Amino acid sequence: MINPLKDMVEKRKIGIHCGIPSYCSANKLVIEAALEQSKRLPGQSVLIEATSNQVNQDGGYTKMLPADFKEYVYQIAERIDFDKKLIVLGGDHLGPLPWCDKPAAYAMEQAKILVQLCVSSGYTKIHLDTSMKLGDDPAGALDPLVVAERGAFLYQAAEEAFAEYLKEHPDAVHPVYVIGSEVPIPGGDQEEGDHVEVTTPQDFENTLRAYKEKFHDLGLDNAWENIIAVVVQPGVEFGNADVHNYNRLDAADLCKTLKKYPDIVFEGHSTDYQTPQALNEMVQDGIAIIKVGPALTFAVREGLYALSMMEKELITDESKRANFIEILEQAMLANPKYWEKYYDGDAHKQALSRKYGFSDRSRYYMTVPEVDAAIDKLLANIDEIGGIPLNMLRQYMPQQFKHIREGSLINPTARDLVKDKVVEIIDDYNYAVIHSYMTANMF
């Protein structure tokens, strides 16, 4: 069976407009919404990725191993009767990132274990990212040949793991690989500014040359049969309060250079909060894998905030309220390690960033037991009320009000309302990658 991502590249080679969103999230509401929306597009594969910080052999911040994450996604699929064969599991930024403060020998050994665990768990899209400096690397910029040497080492480890996996799973889909990294840090830029440097054609081709040399050194010249994409910076990024919009003119030289390499596409990270038209232009220009993460959990938080505000209006007995907003804030203050390096300014500015920052550091706290319990209680409270008055829904969730009035959202539960916020984002990405989406009676 051909890998759906490889099939996508082959279709693009003959001129078919297509691409694929990469939903990089471990949030259960996000995954459920993505799978449910895909059911409306028969046969459409769904790419769900976990970063090396989210899921690794030490558990990551989700406390899940790669096999656990697979089972977690599959359980959601079973609950909503989604065909698991259409799920493409990916590992994002697989490499030494979680151990980058350690010596290179140790960090790379841990990276090898992580990559092999992902492949052995059936992940079929592997982003090899060795761009970060490690604990004992010399001062100055990291040599591109060192980056490529480490990436080639991990590719070899992944292929060895797949050869073992194939013995027990003879029908397994061969993984495909993405190389390169132009992202300063997973989950968005820390800096606010007016300009993002687009990857130069020279840097893109230097990446290819460096990997070609190091693959050759290891006797892996056939690796290019399995490499489908290179991560580049096409000029899109977001900070806590701003978004750098895609300008195809700025990326024109880079995208023109890609035409020399028909067997690969670009992967764009940090495409969150781009307009549907911008996303569509990116896919047209060769950025066929468009990754989104924080915008999805931002939508979840946005929906939960709206429900929490309506809960305060509708439930007069304060002791019965879930108080989700307050409990989330308490959890973030009690353990600031996931946001304190990202939110600058005084206490008031930091508080606003915790609530509304585009980088959405609140996603790290949604599985804290107290927060998770508050979410469940909030959803139950709204449902027990017997329905939100339409006039109030219009105030706090105007798009969901519109969808109810149009008949595309029928008798929604509180959970449905939050997922519909996520679908707003998913629809933008589906529009970008599926040429007929707007004419397929999807809205």
Side-chain angles (χ1 to χ4, degrees), residues 63 80 111 256 303 313 395:
K63 306 296 187 286
I80 65 171
K256 181 180 178 181
E313 297 273 11
Q395 172 71 36

Side-chain angles (χ1 to χ4, degrees), residues 42-320:
Q44 184 73 22
S45 296
V46 181
L47 173 56
I48 298 173
E49 298 202 53
T51 70
S52 57
N53 279 330
Q54 285 175 319
V55 174
N56 57 49
Q57 61 264 42
D58 299 325
Y61 72 78
T62 64
K63 306 296 187 286
M64 284 190 278
L65 306 180
D68 298 330
F69 183 72
K70 176 183 178 179
E71 184 59 26
Y72 171 72
V73 173
Y74 278 14
Q75 285 178 357
I76 295 173
E78 288 177 1
R79 188 167 66 246
I80 65 171
D81 194 28
F82 184 83
D83 185 355
K84 290 181 284 188
K85 293 179 181 178
L86 295 175
I87 297 173
V88 178
L89 287 176
D92 191 32
H93 294 287
L94 296 187
L97 179 63
W99 309 278
C100 62
D101 60 334
K102 306 294 184 183
Y106 176 85
M108 287 304 298
E109 185 59 30
Q110 294 302 308
K112 175 182 176 180
I113 293 170
L114 174 57
V115 167
Q116 291 189 321
L117 283 174
C118 287
V119 173
S120 299
S121 298
Y123 290 41
T124 55
K125 192 262 189 182
I126 304 296
H127 172 214
L128 300 174
D129 184 4
T130 52
S131 62
M132 62 292 302
K133 290 175 66 69
L134 304 180
D136 55 356
D137 281 333
L142 199 58
D143 188 331
L145 286 173
V146 172
V147 174
E149 181 178 40
R150 291 170 177 174
F153 167 76
L154 293 182
Y155 174 88
Q156 185 176 47
E159 286 293 283
E160 290 170 355
F162 182 70
E164 290 299 312
Y165 183 72
L166 202 58
K167 293 176 182 178
E168 295 187 10
H169 304 84
D171 297 326
V173 174
H174 198 290
V176 294
Y177 299 85
V178 177
I179 59 173
S181 178
E182 289 290 335
V183 182
I185 186 165
D189 193 359
Q190 295 182 62
E191 302 297 330
E192 309 289 343
D194 297 325
H195 185 67
V196 174
E197 290 293 332
V198 174
T199 301
T200 66
Q202 293 78 13
D203 285 345
F204 161 55
E205 294 192 294
N206 285 342
T207 295
L208 295 180
R209 279 191 286 269
Y211 268 90
K212 184 176 182 179
E213 177 179 331
K214 294 305 176 181
F215 281 139
H216 179 74
D217 290 346
L218 293 176
L220 298 171
D221 294 293
N222 64 348
W224 296 102
E225 297 175 7
N226 301 314
I227 295 171
I228 63 158
V230 177
V231 175
V232 294
Q233 173 51 274
V236 299
E237 188 56 88
F238 60 93
N240 289 321
D242 63 354
V243 178
H244 299 280
N245 296 321
Y246 181 62
N247 184 332
R248 67 194 321 180
L249 294 179
D250 290 342
D253 289 342
L254 173 65
C255 295
K256 181 180 178 181
T257 305
L258 180 64
K259 296 180 187 297
K260 295 161 56 177
Y261 306 94
D263 292 320
I264 60 174
V265 298
F266 286 146
E267 176 168 297
H269 288 207
S270 301
T271 70
D272 306 66
Y273 310 107
Q274 294 293 313
T275 66
Q277 182 61 34
L279 293 169
N280 186 261
E281 289 179 357
M282 290 171 68
V283 175
Q284 290 176 18
D285 294 345
I287 308 155
I289 304 174
I290 41 179
K291 191 176 296 293
V292 56
L296 297 167
T297 47
F298 184 96
V300 170
R301 181 212 54 77
E302 197 174 33
L304 292 172
Y305 266 42
L307 292 180
S308 190
M309 291 174 184
M310 288 185 282
E311 179 192 47
K312 289 177 170 60
E313 297 273 11
L314 295 168
I315 298 179
T316 56
D317 186 344
E318 294 184 13
S319 66
K320 294 183 179 180

Side-chain angles (χ1 to χ4, degrees), residues 398-418:
Q399 286 300 312
Q400 285 56 58
F401 167 83
K402 178 182 177 182
H403 295 160
I404 290 172
R405 296 288 293 150
E406 291 173 340
S408 60
L409 192 59
I410 302 171
N411 298 324
T413 64
R415 189 182 188 89
D416 293 334
L417 290 170
V418 176

Side-chain angles (χ1 to χ4, degrees), residues 19-38:
I20 191 167
S22 170
Y23 302 121
C24 195
S25 179
N27 184 280
K28 56 189 176 184
L29 289 167
V30 166
I31 295 172
E32 193 173 312
L35 297 182
E36 285 179 343
Q37 189 68 350
S38 185

